[in-house]
Amino acid sequence: MNAPARPARMGEQHQPTIIGQDALAWKALVEVFYRQSYAVLFANFVVPLPVAWVLREEVSLPVLVVWIAGMYLLTAARVVLAQLHRIQGDGGRPLVWAWRSTVLSWASSLLWGLLGLVGVMPGEPHLLAFVCIVLTGLTCGAVPSLSAFPPAYVGSMAAMLAPTLVRCLTQDEAIYGVYVIFIVCLAVVNLYYCRVTYRTVTETVRLRSQNLALIRDLEGERDRAQTADRSKTRFLAAASHDLRQPIHALGLFAGALGVWAGKGDVPSHEAAGLSDRLKTVIGNLSGVLDGLLDVSKLDAGVVPVTREPVSLGCLFADLREEYAGLAQERGLSWRVIDSALWVDSDPVLLRRMIGNLVSNAFRYTRRGGVLLGVRRRGEGAVIQVVDSGPGIAEDQQELIFDEFVQLHNPERDRAQGLGLGLAIVRRTARLLGHPIAVRSVEGRGSSFSVAVPLTTPAAPDAPVCRPPEACGGLRILVVDDQAEVLTAVRGLLEAWGHSVHVGRDADAALRAHAKAGGGAVHLILADYRLGDEVTGREAVTNLRLRLGANLPAIVITGDTSPSRLREAADRDWRLLHKPVKAETLRDAIALAVG
């Protein structure tokens, strides 16, 4: 039988395992043990009186009274124990409760076993048959009731059958040998069914535990899906607002420009003012799109990580200089604690993380100041950004890392940022394996920390790589199915001194190239989504095959989905996202042909 190797004694804290079960399984088994014991308790209340009536002529009345009283007292104690277990639970000690009931069960079984001393009497075969019937019924009936805890059943069966077995072995008549065989067979069969029942119960407990775990997992998945759905709804609402605002402003400025144009020559000061405001609006729009792109890149896992020793002294010095003007403008103190520590991280991503935290601190701090420092903890360092801002409620400290969440900016004032900074910080921290934490008290400021592993300083005079400058005189094929985009790109590239051949598809671009006299092509520039369900990737592949060269290529798209970013990361062409600034395109061309 698959019982514990060494059952724990009553009161012991040690709980051995059953068929790989842990404490939770023991708890479930003991609950089944108590729940199924009521049938035995009912039999102990009902059966003693008929048995006493049958034995009234063979056993003295006082002995029968004491026997019945002992049986009822033990049964009542077991009922009280079962009720206490149901009301109080096991208190984290299921085996203690199992052994309490087991000891009482053994005592009751021993009282039943004493019948064998009375029933095995020479010349009274009917009495022996009656005792055997009673004990057989009790031992068989106890199988389903006590098998959830095998020691209880094994001990109870032994206590009931042992006296009769011993008494039969001491008799000379052959008939008692038959009874001995019967008792042994009864014990073997019941032990077998006890084992089968125990395995069935443990399997039921295991399946029930698995089902409960599956239910919890499903409920967790449901809650996560509902949270994600709410987050997506909030994300889309905020993103829609932040995108519509600059587009609305662009429409109004374009209308104003049209009005001035209708009046004739546009005054230079009005044109300059409109130009400045247009640049500001476009910058805001680009900021939203760049933030969304950064989030998509991090979610897609296509942001490359280049780990190297990073000097916190240099990083802090750069940040001190960068935010000194902002601190002075807002009348805030700006303290940076110098450090000679070096950490193992990606210098660009780490600087961006800490920069976002510092920027966020300045954005919401109205008085007091911001502190940037670091503490050494064992083999790592904890970079801290502390501010004296409004603080964050405890139940909102996890929410602030979601996209477009700004607790102190319900009006979505663009001057207070986009609500993407901390979302980018959390994703970047996960990418780098740098745990982040926040501690805050409402009205008393906040402290954000980033844990980074320490490392040895980098070798001195390490070379610094800079992107090559864009050069003129390239021959570029441009593929885009939008005529206005072709015109704009062509004008810009030709202004930089390049020879440009454009077309709505690869064939049209090649015809334009051939019409202009051919010549070596240095670069392919293509939009991702072209007409007739052709993609820029396919256009680049087609042009490379037709020209017989693995030419550098740049693909421009408005799709920021993770799948598109992963696709670009696996290709040998560069991916730019709309809207593309002129400076960004120029730098990309320089890197592609450099």
Side-chain angles (χ1 to χ4, degrees):
M1 210 169 346
N2 294 316
R6 185 192 64 81
R9 298 184 183 90
M10 204 160 54
E12 277 192 61
Q13 296 298 318
H14 173 65
Q15 297 184 5
T17 58
I18 280 185
I19 310 183
Q21 302 293 324
D22 55 13
L24 292 177
W26 268 117
K27 178 181 176 70
L29 285 172
V30 173
E31 288 178 353
V32 173
F33 174 54
Y34 268 89
R35 188 167 59 249
Q36 295 187 168
S37 65
Y38 286 104
V40 172
L41 298 179
F42 177 77
N44 285 350
F45 269 118
V46 174
V47 177
L49 289 177
V51 170
W53 187 83
V54 172
L55 298 177
R56 68 189 185 282
E57 296 181 356
E58 306 298 335
V59 181
S60 64
L61 182 61
V63 173
L64 285 177
V65 170
V66 171
W67 181 79
I68 293 174
M71 185 67 70
Y72 281 165
L73 284 175
L74 285 172
T75 304
R78 294 173 68 182
V79 171
V80 171
L81 184 66
Q83 291 300 311
L84 289 175
H85 178 268
R86 183 179 64 84
I87 296 172
Q88 300 178 3
D90 57 34
R93 299 184 301 168
L95 282 183
V96 172
W97 284 85
W99 280 109
R100 288 170 179 171
S101 181
T102 296
V103 170
L104 293 176
S105 177
W106 288 352
S108 296
S109 299
L110 186 59
L111 286 179
W112 285 115
L114 294 177
L115 294 177
L117 301 179
V118 177
V120 183
M121 297 173 54
E124 299 289 344
H126 66 283
L127 193 60
L128 177 58
F130 171 75
V131 169
C132 287
I133 291 172
V134 172
L135 294 181
T136 299
L138 290 172
T139 54
C140 293
V143 171
S145 298
L146 303 180
S147 293
F149 190 65
Y153 179 76
V154 173
S156 296
M157 185 186 67
M160 281 190 285
L161 299 182
T164 303
L165 178 64
V166 171
R167 192 65 181 267
C168 288
L169 289 173
T170 59
Q171 302 301 314
D172 296 332
E173 291 85 348
I175 187 63
Y176 293 106
V178 175
Y179 278 107
V180 168
I181 296 174
F182 168 77
I183 293 172
V184 171
C185 290
L186 177 66
V188 171
V189 170
N190 282 343
L191 285 175
Y192 170 77
Y193 282 109
C194 175
R195 179 180 182 182
V196 171
T197 305
Y198 171 71
R199 286 185 170 180
T200 301
V201 171
T202 54
E203 180 66 12
T204 302
V205 167
R206 185 184 66 82
L207 292 175
R208 180 174 178 270
S209 177
Q210 289 180 349
N211 288 336
L212 291 175
L214 287 174
I215 291 172
R216 288 193 297 269
D217 290 343
L218 289 174
E219 289 175 345
E221 292 297 330
R222 179 202 61 196
D223 294 341
R224 281 190 287 273
Q226 292 175 346
T227 301
D229 184 64
R230 290 192 295 268
S231 177
K232 180 190 70 174
T233 301
R234 185 183 66 249
F235 177 92
L236 292 175
S240 175
H241 176 276
D242 288 353
L243 289 171
R244 286 177 181 274
Q245 287 295 90
I247 292 174
H248 174 64
L250 282 175
L252 295 177
F253 287 138
L257 186 60
V259 171
W260 280 109
K263 294 180 179 181
D265 294 336
V266 181
S268 60
H269 67 280
E270 289 293 342
L274 283 172
S275 176
D276 291 339
R277 288 192 287 274
L278 284 170
K279 287 181 179 179
T280 300
V281 172
I282 292 173
N284 290 338
L285 180 60
S286 296
V288 176
L289 296 175
D290 288 344
L292 293 173
L293 176 59
D294 290 337
V295 170
S296 295
K297 285 182 176 179
L298 290 166
D299 285 342
V302 298
V303 177
V305 176
T306 305
R307 290 187 175 276
E308 60 183 68
V310 179
S311 168
L312 291 185
C314 294
L315 174 61
F316 286 7
D318 289 344
L319 293 172
R320 178 194 288 114
E321 181 179 350
E322 179 177 347
Y323 289 94
L326 179 60
Q328 184 176 5
E329 176 185 333
R330 298 194 176 185
L332 300 172
S333 68
W334 170 224
R335 293 182 55 206
V336 179
I337 309 300
D338 291 329
S339 174
L341 296 177
W342 288 71
V343 296
D344 180 31
S345 184
D346 183 297
V348 176
L349 296 179
L350 180 62
R351 189 188 190 286
R352 187 174 188 186
M353 280 181 61
I354 306 304
N356 278 346
L357 293 176
V358 172
S359 176
N360 196 67
F362 274 111
R363 184 173 296 120
Y364 295 106
T365 301
R366 297 291 178 264
R367 58 180 178 272
V370 178
L371 169 68
L372 172 62
V374 62
R375 295 177 182 272
R376 180 166 186 165
R377 291 184 182 173
E379 298 299 320
V382 178
I383 303 172
Q384 294 179 306
V385 178
V386 184
D387 65 64
S388 58
I392 308 164
E394 185 175 355
D395 60 348
Q396 295 179 321
Q397 290 179 10
E398 182 65 23
L399 183 65
I400 60 174
F401 291 98
D402 292 341
E403 301 84 355
F404 290 106
V405 172
Q406 292 179 300
L407 301 181
H408 304 291
N409 185 23
E411 300 84 7
R412 305 295 302 170
D413 179 10
R414 291 280 61 74
Q416 296 189 44
L418 304 171
L420 292 174
L422 291 180
I424 293 173
V425 167
R426 178 167 64 177
R427 286 167 166 80
T428 307
R430 288 174 178 171
L431 178 65
L432 295 173
H434 299 343
I436 58 174
V438 57
R439 297 178 61 186
S440 183
V441 178
E442 284 190 278
R444 299 180 60 182
S446 305
S447 172
F448 289 83
S449 62
V450 180
V452 190
L454 293 172
T455 189
T456 56
D461 301 325
V464 178
C465 299
R466 293 183 174 86
E469 297 296 331
C471 54
L474 299 177
R475 184 172 286 105
I476 302 175
L477 297 185
V478 180
V479 182
D480 198 304
D481 60 344
Q482 299 294 322
E484 61 273 18
V485 175
L486 283 177
T487 301
V489 173
R490 180 173 188 168
L492 179 62
L493 295 176
E494 288 181 345
W496 289 338
H498 302 302
S499 297
V500 184
H501 311 296
V502 303
R504 295 173 63 88
D505 53 36
D507 291 338
L510 285 174
R511 286 195 298 269
H513 171 246
K515 186 176 180 179
V521 176
H522 303 99
L523 177 70
I524 301 170
L525 183 63
D527 186 50
Y528 187 83
R529 297 195 180 278
L530 302 172
D532 299 327
E533 298 184 356
V534 177
T535 66
R537 178 191 64 189
E538 294 167 342
V540 168
T541 302
N542 187 8
L543 289 172
R544 285 174 171 174
L545 290 173
R546 301 275 291 277
L547 295 171
N550 189 26
L551 298 171
I554 298 174
V555 176
I556 301 176
T557 182
D559 187 349
T560 61
S561 64
S563 60
R564 187 69 58 241
L565 295 170
R566 284 190 289 267
E567 177 188 2
D570 295 336
R571 299 287 174 175
D572 58 349
W573 36 264
R574 297 180 179 276
L575 187 69
L576 298 181
H577 287 85
K578 301 175 183 178
V580 179
K581 297 179 182 179
E583 296 81 3
T584 303
L585 179 58
R586 182 182 60 202
D587 292 343
I589 291 173
L591 290 171
V593 301

